[in-house]
Every structure is written in structure tokens, then in C-alpha cells.
Amino acid sequence: EVQLQESGPGLVKPSQSLSLTCSVTGYSITSNYWGWIRKFPGNKMEWMGYISYSGSTSYNPSLKSRISITRDTSKNQFFLQLNSVTTEDTATYYCARWAKGFDYWGQGVMVTVSS
Amino acid sequence: NIVLTQSPATLSVTPGESVSLSCRASQSISTSIHWYQQKSNESPRLLIKYASQSISGIPSRFSGSGSGTDFTLSINRVESEDFSIYYCQQSYSSLLTFGSGTKLEIK
């Protein structure tokens, strides 16, 4: 069974970088696309970007200057880095597999940006 | 950006009723719409892909329809476990976007 699990700090200070890991089991990240999605307080959902089976990336233009998605195929993990965070980046962050729909999701990690 | 407008924002129903949730796109997106259910404190779950294609393991009371700009998620005879938030999401554009959600609550 495909399983995804996010990990990373739950509290980040303003202006610092947010770094999250998505660990995937039951499926290789060298197939399909692997994305990051966040849900803000108030329920708005935002697609942040993805990394493909080949390692190419695509980002939401609203984040393009601050976001980086990378991977380690040997560990079957992919990563999110979001730079220069503000309180507006406070959200629950999910990783998910894209296969004609986001069909598998991690449990989500709540990240608060606060000093 | 393709904007998805979901209506109503909140829908109050009695278990056993059948409901229709709407998602309208700001431009034609063919059938590139997907529907998700998110229960409180859980991750979203894919219900329907490409407007009307069923997903393995999803109860048959969930169905989708529409093309172009207007899409509908229908739930036949709502059950207690269905009370949650429903989102639509488009993949027509390389910039994926979600609707703002419809909360289905118990009347």
C-alpha cells in the first residue's frame, strides 16, 4: 500500500526557512508526480508545487521565488523548502501523489510561523 | 489562474437526503476536475476524478457530472459519515487550483 508521511518542525520563526520531508513507502517516487499542498486556517487549499518522476519541478507562481522541492531517490523521500516565511505561511502542509488526481496523501503537518 | 467557485459554502441536510454540490470554473476546463472529501482532522480523500470517473473503494452513492465550466458532485442519500468538507480541484492548467470548499453539515 502506498503511504506518505510528512515530518518537520511545527514552529518556524518569521524570515526563516520551513523545511519538510515526505517519506514514501510502497511506491517509488521515480514514478508519477509528487506534490505539496497546504491548507490555511479557514480551509483554503493551495497547491504549492510538485516534483516529477524524472526530478523536474513545477511551482505555483505565487511562491516561485521562495520554494524549492527536491528529492532523494535512495531514501524514497522528497522535500519542501520554503524561504523567508511569514505568519501567512501558517498552515497544515500535506504531501501527496498525483496520478490523475491526488490519490494518496500524508497525514499532514501543522506548521505555525511565529516568533 | 483558473478560479473555481463552489456553492453553496455550507449545506445543511438531514441524513437520507440526496444533495448536489456545485463547482464552477472561470473558463472552460473540459472534464479536468476532481473532487475530494476532507473530514475533520483527516487528510483529503479523492472521490471522483475527471468529472465523473469513479475511484476504487469510494461508495457508489458519490457521483460526478459536468464538463466545460459547470460541475456537480452528487451524494445519493447522505449518510452520517458524509458530513465533512468537499473540494473541487482542476488540472486543466499547469497551475493547479482548488475551490474554496462546501461544508456539508447535519441539519
Side-chain angles (χ1 to χ4, degrees), chain A residues 6 37 39 42-47 50 58-61 94 98-103 105-108, chain B residues 1 34 36 38 41-46 49-50 55 85 87 89-91 94-100:
Chain A
E6 306 89 349
I37 300 108
K39 182 176 178 179
N43 297 327
K44 177 185 173 183
M45 297 273 281
E46 179 181 66
W47 168 75
Y50 65 64
S58 179
Y59 301 131
N60 190 317
Y94 297 95
W98 173 262
K100 300 183 178 180
F102 287 110
D103 60 350
W105 295 68
Q107 84 282 359
Chain B
N1 296 7
H34 319 284
Y36 301 85
Q38 187 172 28
N41 298 320
E42 294 186 8
S43 304
R45 177 173 70 151
L46 180 64
K49 63 181 180 181
Y50 291 102
I55 302 295
I85 301 175
Y87 294 95
Q89 175 249 319
Q90 64 80 23
S91 61
S94 58
L95 171 51
L96 307 181
T97 53
F98 288 83
S100 55

Side-chain angles (χ1 to χ4, degrees), chain A:
Chain A
E1 181 186 2
V2 181
Q3 293 186 325
L4 295 84
Q5 181 160 345
E6 306 89 349
S7 58
L11 180 64
V12 182
K13 295 185 186 302
S15 80
Q16 293 188 345
S17 293
L18 180 163
S19 295
L20 298 176
T21 297
C22 183
S23 300
V24 181
T25 57
Y27 200 87
S28 173
I29 64 170
T30 58
S31 297
N32 287 97
Y33 291 76
W34 303 88
W36 289 97
I37 300 108
R38 60 183 178 176
K39 182 176 178 179
F40 297 100
N43 297 327
K44 177 185 173 183
M45 297 273 281
E46 179 181 66
W47 168 75
M48 300 181 72
Y50 65 64
I51 188 164
S52 76
Y53 53 89
S54 66
S56 63
T57 55
S58 179
Y59 301 131
N60 190 317
S62 70
L63 301 168
K64 199 162 188 177
S65 61
R66 298 196 292 136
I67 189 174
S68 176
I69 299 176
T70 57
R71 66 178 184 171
D72 183 337
T73 57
S74 68
K75 294 183 179 179
N76 218 38
Q77 295 176 326
F78 63 105
F79 313 100
L80 171 70
Q81 181 170 321
L82 186 65
N83 299 323
S84 305
V85 298
T86 71
T87 55
E88 295 188 352
D89 293 309
T90 293
T92 298
Y93 288 75
Y94 297 95
C95 59
R97 185 182 81 167
W98 173 262
K100 300 183 178 180
F102 287 110
D103 60 350
Y104 289 95
W105 295 68
Q107 84 282 359
V109 58
M110 185 178 299
V111 178
T112 300
V113 179
S114 175
S115 55

Side-chain angles (χ1 to χ4, degrees), chain B residues 14-82:
Chain B
T14 303
E17 286 187 55
S18 295
V19 299
S20 294
L21 284 60
S22 173
C23 178
R24 178 165 292 176
S26 58
Q27 66 182 72
S28 179
I29 58 170
S30 185
T31 57
S32 297
I33 201 79
H34 319 284
W35 289 94
Y36 301 85
Q37 175 194 57
Q38 187 172 28
K39 298 180 182 180
S40 183
N41 298 320
E42 294 186 8
S43 304
R45 177 173 70 151
L46 180 64
L47 297 177
I48 299 287
K49 63 181 180 181
Y50 291 102
S52 62
Q53 295 180 20
S54 59
I55 302 295
S56 175
I58 300 301
S60 59
R61 63 182 180 275
F62 292 95
S63 63
S65 62
S67 65
T69 59
D70 291 319
F71 303 89
T72 300
L73 175 69
S74 299
I75 310 175
N76 184 31
R77 298 180 182 174
V78 172
E79 299 189 5
S80 57
E81 65 188 32
D82 299 337

